[in-house]
Amino acid sequence: MTPSELTSLLARGEDSRHQFKRNATNADGLAAELAAFANSGGGWLFLGVNDDGSIAGLNAADIRRLNQLLGNSASQHVRPPLHPLSENVQTDQGIVMVVEVPDGLAKPYLDNQGRIWVKQGADKRHVTSREEMQRMFQRAALLYADVVPVAGTSVEDIDDKAFSAYFDRRYGASGEFSGLTREQLLQNLGLGDGRELNLTGLMLFGRNPQRWRPAFEVKAVAFPGKVLHDTRYLDSEDIKDALLEQFRGAFAFIKRNLHHVQRGRGFNTPGELEIPEIALEELLVNALIHRDYFTSASVRVMVFVDRVEIVSPGHLPDSLSPEDIRQGKTIRRNPTLTEHASHILPYRGMGSGIPRALEAWPQIDLVDDPAGNQFSAVIWRAKAEWSVDTAAPQVTGEVTGEVTGGVTGEVKRLAEAMQGEMKRSEIQAALGLKHEDHFRESYLRPALDAGVIEMTIPDKPRSSRQKYRLTALGQALLKAGQEKRE
């Protein structure tokens, strides 16, 4: 790492992947920091850096002491031991020790007192809830929610018609299963333990699965406006039963609360759904299959005048990010459920669902919310002022040529929300976004990179008086959208 690269990293401030420390003297304290990183996807610890990102610097004696402290902390104060990498970067203010902690492969990592630490924003916290511990064992492939037996269930709770139709369609007259009792058959297919159904068996083939797991349903609401706290609603439904019926019911709810458009068809034709059905289908199935079943909460479907939100309990597992899943990367949170559901629901697997939805309808925001322990897909409904195609618009006037640099739907919406010079918090509020990290990563930075907006104090990017305004390019983009409306 070069000094300039270091300076650039420090200028961004602390977050869940980057922690600053002036110094370290206590092995237990350092061990807790290392364990938190290893339990939360990995990260970098910068020693010799003040909390505000300024370099305090270390001398040669500090480096020798810290190397010994780091080795002792990682090998003797964390269980199982960790193997961090360190690099010393020489700056004008002194040496900065950069410690890289990889994402742990043997989670959960504990300190000497048996405590589990995880990152929470730029800080760390002690894990105490049983559900969160279960999720950590799940990430370590030691426990999966979808194969946990559901106490009190039995083979009598299976919907025999649904199960027989699935079995005949997939396995036919397979000799592998001939002569087996129903209990043995369910156990061999990974749907039970021979006595009780597991969660997969219950959610796919159970009769009235909400009798045992009442929260595992879909709650759907259609609002007349743009805000969640609106006391009015146009339509509401609690969708229960097995996952196939939940999918069908939720899909029907969304469709009846959206518009149909002609898109070049004849006036008397029924038209197409304003958002392509394949995009809604993929995102809804994704929420039902990949949700966190250790969390006792419902999948939520909300239809607003400007968007549809599908909210799935559980944030993205391990170090998976929204950008990763945009590219087709995946981690199976519920592998047994996924295996069977792929033959029941319209699910294709291999991480292809999200890219397929984005290809059909690019105006989708993917929002990971670790603090709220949920993942949301926000599907924006068509606006007259923006084209629904993915090509960058042409603008004319003082700024000519094709607008490049990632003019996404998010950047267009940010540009539309701008009113003169605005603070970051004002823009975020105008867009109705709650999470600052998501706003910065998906809206603010891409808009700056595309040259659509600019800082009013560019030489002091972290100034408390910093504001943003449209550039000539941004103004031309808005003008092009207005002309298209007219």
Side-chain angles (χ1 to χ4, degrees):
M1 182 179 296
T2 66
S4 62
E5 291 173 335
L6 174 65
T7 301
S8 177
L9 281 173
L10 299 182
R12 300 178 189 174
E14 293 181 301
D15 56 29
S16 297
R17 295 283 183 267
H18 304 86
Q19 183 77 36
F20 304 158
K21 278 192 172 297
R22 169 66 184 84
N23 214 319
T25 57
N26 182 274
D28 285 331
L30 184 57
E33 298 289 352
L34 299 177
F37 274 128
N39 284 328
S40 307
W44 288 265
L45 179 64
F46 297 84
L47 296 169
V49 177
N50 296 314
D51 289 343
D52 63 0
S54 62
I55 296 176
L58 303 167
N59 57 37
D62 292 328
I63 294 297
R64 288 193 294 272
R65 178 183 58 79
L66 286 170
N67 273 321
Q68 183 174 359
L69 182 69
L70 179 63
N72 290 339
S73 297
S75 62
Q76 300 175 26
H77 293 255
V78 179
R79 295 176 290 160
L82 287 168
H83 305 283
L85 302 174
S86 66
E87 178 182 1
N88 300 328
V89 181
Q90 181 68 59
T91 73
D92 293 339
Q93 295 79 25
I95 301 172
V96 173
M97 177 183 281
V98 182
V99 180
E100 181 181 0
V101 184
D103 182 23
L105 299 177
K107 302 181 186 73
Y109 291 85
L110 295 77
D111 65 13
N112 264 353
Q113 285 72 49
R115 296 173 296 188
I116 301 173
W117 296 91
V118 294
K119 297 294 292 182
Q120 180 167 308
D123 207 345
K124 66 180 185 300
R125 63 177 174 82
H126 181 202
V127 175
T128 57
S129 76
R130 182 182 67 178
E131 285 185 348
E132 189 168 9
M133 289 183 185
Q134 288 174 326
R135 286 194 293 272
M136 296 194 73
F137 282 108
Q138 180 178 6
R139 289 196 294 269
L142 300 174
L143 176 67
Y144 290 103
D146 59 338
V147 292
V148 173
V150 180
T153 61
S154 72
V155 67
E156 300 301 321
D157 298 303
I158 283 285
D159 182 331
D160 191 67
K161 182 178 180 181
F163 176 74
S164 297
Y166 166 71
F167 183 84
D168 292 343
R169 183 175 67 252
R170 185 171 181 191
Y171 299 104
S174 173
E176 178 185 357
F177 301 111
S178 61
L180 296 181
T181 66
R182 181 55 58 91
E183 289 85 352
Q184 293 170 327
L185 186 58
L186 292 172
Q187 185 174 11
N188 284 7
L189 294 177
L191 301 173
D193 62 3
R195 298 181 302 277
E196 297 171 319
L197 302 178
N198 60 27
L199 190 68
T200 295
L202 179 69
M203 296 309 299
L204 290 179
F205 305 110
R207 288 185 285 108
N208 188 21
Q210 285 71 38
R211 173 185 172 189
W212 291 271
R213 294 294 183 266
F216 295 167
E217 62 180 6
V218 176
K219 290 187 173 292
V221 183
F223 296 95
K226 298 182 180 181
V227 294
L228 179 62
H229 57 263
D230 199 328
T231 57
R232 305 162 298 159
Y233 62 88
L234 302 173
D235 193 2
S236 175
E237 185 178 357
D238 290 347
I239 304 163
K240 304 179 185 293
D241 218 326
L243 289 188
L244 178 58
E245 294 308 313
Q246 288 189 36
F247 166 77
R248 288 171 174 168
F251 198 31
F253 180 92
I254 295 173
K255 289 175 67 176
R256 72 173 179 255
N257 283 288
L258 293 181
H259 301 305
H260 285 75
V261 294
Q262 297 308 117
R263 291 205 177 109
R265 294 188 173 196
F267 181 76
N268 293 319
T269 60
E272 300 175 358
L273 202 65
E274 62 178 287
I275 298 171
E277 291 191 13
I278 188 172
L280 296 167
E281 181 181 276
E282 296 286 359
L283 295 170
L284 184 56
V285 168
N286 191 75
L288 292 170
I289 290 180
H290 297 302
R291 62 154 292 171
D292 182 356
Y293 280 100
F294 279 131
T295 298
S296 185
S298 305
V299 170
R300 289 179 292 152
V301 172
M302 293 168 286
V303 181
F304 299 90
V305 295
D306 61 341
R307 68 194 186 279
V308 177
E309 292 190 19
I310 300 175
V311 183
S312 177
H315 64 88
L316 292 177
D318 289 343
S319 58
L320 205 63
S321 70
E323 184 57 34
D324 288 334
I325 61 175
R326 280 178 175 272
Q327 302 301 321
K329 297 180 182 178
T330 184
I331 294 176
R332 285 191 174 188
R333 177 181 266 141
N334 305 302
T336 302
L337 177 64
T338 301
E339 164 62 21
H340 290 288
S342 64
H343 298 274
I344 299 171
L345 297 171
Y347 175 77
R348 298 164 182 82
M350 301 299 291
S352 60
I354 296 293
R356 189 178 293 108
L358 289 166
E359 181 179 4
W361 190 253
Q363 292 90 325
I364 298 172
D365 291 346
L366 304 175
V367 185
D368 190 31
D369 180 8
N373 191 34
Q374 63 183 25
F375 176 80
S376 303
V378 182
I379 310 103
W380 293 94
R381 300 173 70 171
K383 286 186 177 182
E385 51 267 57
W386 299 117
S387 170
V388 298
D389 61 36
T390 58
Q394 300 287 326
V395 297
T396 58
E398 293 182 6
V399 182
T400 59
E402 185 174 320
V403 179
T404 59
V407 181
T408 62
E410 292 92 335
V411 171
K412 292 174 181 177
R413 287 190 291 277
L414 184 148
E416 186 187 36
M418 294 295 295
Q419 298 291 331
E421 295 182 354
M422 300 175 70
K423 291 184 176 181
R424 187 273 309 160
S425 58
E426 293 172 337
I427 306 172
Q428 184 176 336
L431 289 166
L433 298 173
K434 297 179 181 179
H435 306 293
E436 183 180 341
D437 288 348
H438 168 60
F439 168 70
R440 288 186 182 277
E441 292 299 324
S442 298
Y443 290 81
L444 189 62
R445 288 180 181 170
L448 288 167
D449 292 342
V452 171
I453 62 172
E454 63 185 2
M455 298 179 184
T456 57
I457 315 175
D459 56 331
K460 294 182 179 179
R462 301 180 68 182
S463 171
S464 60
R465 298 190 300 276
Q466 186 67 260
K467 293 185 178 182
Y468 302 86
R469 63 193 172 208
L470 286 172
T471 62
L473 185 65
Q475 292 169 359
L477 180 64
L478 282 181
K479 182 179 179 182
Q482 292 167 356
E483 289 175 349
K484 183 174 291 186
R485 287 200 308 274
E486 295 168 357

